[in-house]
Amino acid sequence: MNGHVKNMHFQKFMESAATLFSFLLLMTANSTKTVAASRNQQCEITLQTWKLTKLAQKESVDLIKTYKASQGEMSELFCKVSVNNIPDPNISGLELSDRIASIYAHLQAFFPHFKRVYEQQTDLQSPTSPLLTELIRLRDRSRSLAYRISDLYHNLFPNLPLPEPAGGPTTLPPPQNVFQQKVYGCAVLNTYKDLLSNIFLDLRTLKRKVCRRRIYMNVFF
């Protein structure tokens, strides 16, 4: 093989290598864009869920004030009595997936209690009471938040199914007299407020982590 033929083979080899290198660069760039887009979506969903939790937390504080104002002169006493069978406001789990699943399960556990409190207060309040309006808003807001949490979980962990809440159906109290109803309602609302505070802290930590990664991706790619 003379030198001219060797040069032609070498030139073809270099052209093939350059083509392959360009292809690999294109694949890497596309992969990077896909990862960056995924990070941006995760950050956006986390941010929106955190904002909704912050709003729900503020509304829960206002709702407790409205609740106390609607219960008469002994409202402060009603809200100091301990009550059993109220969902635990503490989020459990060491892994992020477990904690988000725990948040979702806790929100679900409160839905029957919201319904019971609303039914009781419907009997105790006038139809035009602002408390009833705020209780309906609480129900709707909590369902929206649960939906957001579910969406966040599936976005962060697309290959993990959201576990069913452990422990079976939520236990509701037996029939109660008026005093017990007022105590129960305040306990439910206060405990839910504590849950929202815990969710807010967890999501704030997650927001800082996920959105920091988005900034990192945007800067370097």
Side-chain angles (χ1 to χ4, degrees):
M1 184 179 296
N2 57 36
H4 177 70
V5 175
K6 289 182 178 178
N7 287 338
M8 289 183 62
H9 280 288
F10 180 73
Q11 184 177 359
K12 289 182 178 179
F13 171 77
M14 292 301 295
E15 290 175 352
S16 298
T19 301
L20 177 61
F21 183 67
S22 298
F23 176 74
L24 291 175
L25 283 178
L26 180 62
M27 291 293 292
T28 301
N30 289 337
S31 177
T32 299
K33 289 179 180 178
T34 301
V35 172
S38 177
R39 297 298 188 200
N40 288 341
Q41 185 181 32
Q42 290 176 354
C43 175
E44 186 64 25
I45 293 175
T46 303
L47 183 61
Q48 293 301 322
T49 308
W50 174 76
K51 287 181 178 179
L52 183 60
T53 303
K54 185 177 182 180
L55 174 61
Q57 184 185 29
K58 178 183 180 303
E59 290 177 346
S60 71
V61 174
D62 295 336
L63 174 55
I64 291 174
K65 294 178 182 178
T66 303
Y67 184 87
K68 289 181 178 179
S70 303
Q71 304 307 309
E73 297 179 356
M74 299 179 62
S75 60
E76 290 297 333
L77 173 62
F78 298 148
C79 292
K80 291 180 180 179
V81 180
S82 60
V83 177
N84 296 324
N85 298 324
I86 303 295
D88 184 0
N90 297 313
I91 301 165
S92 61
L94 297 177
E95 299 294 332
L96 177 59
S97 59
D98 294 331
R99 294 192 69 80
I100 296 179
S102 176
I103 290 173
Y104 181 77
H106 279 67
L107 289 171
Q108 293 281 341
F110 270 95
F111 293 162
H113 291 277
F114 295 154
K115 182 180 179 181
R116 174 64 65 85
V117 171
Y118 179 79
E119 291 171 348
Q120 291 176 343
Q121 291 301 315
T122 299
D123 293 335
L124 297 175
Q125 308 295 328
S126 69
T128 59
S129 171
L131 175 61
L132 300 181
T133 302
E134 292 189 33
L135 287 172
I136 292 175
R137 184 174 63 186
L138 169 73
R139 178 201 63 192
D140 295 342
R141 190 79 72 195
S142 61
R143 291 190 181 280
S144 295
L145 181 56
Y147 174 82
R148 289 274 189 173
I149 293 295
S150 175
D151 189 37
L152 176 63
Y153 181 92
H154 288 108
N155 191 271
L156 292 174
F157 310 102
N159 298 321
L160 290 179
L162 188 61
E164 291 294 328
T170 300
T171 302
L172 292 174
Q176 300 168 307
N177 59 39
V178 172
F179 177 81
Q180 291 171 329
Q181 290 178 16
K182 293 184 176 184
V183 168
Y184 167 72
C186 198
V188 169
L189 298 181
N190 269 321
T191 307
Y192 183 65
K193 176 179 66 68
D194 293 340
L195 173 64
L196 290 175
S197 296
N198 293 334
I199 296 174
F200 177 82
L201 293 176
D202 264 41
L203 291 180
R204 184 176 65 180
T205 300
L206 177 62
K207 174 177 67 73
R208 290 173 178 173
K209 180 180 179 181
V210 172
C211 294
R212 185 186 302 122
R213 289 191 300 185
R214 181 185 72 167
I215 295 172
Y216 179 87
M217 294 293 294
N218 289 341
V219 168
F220 286 92
F221 296 99

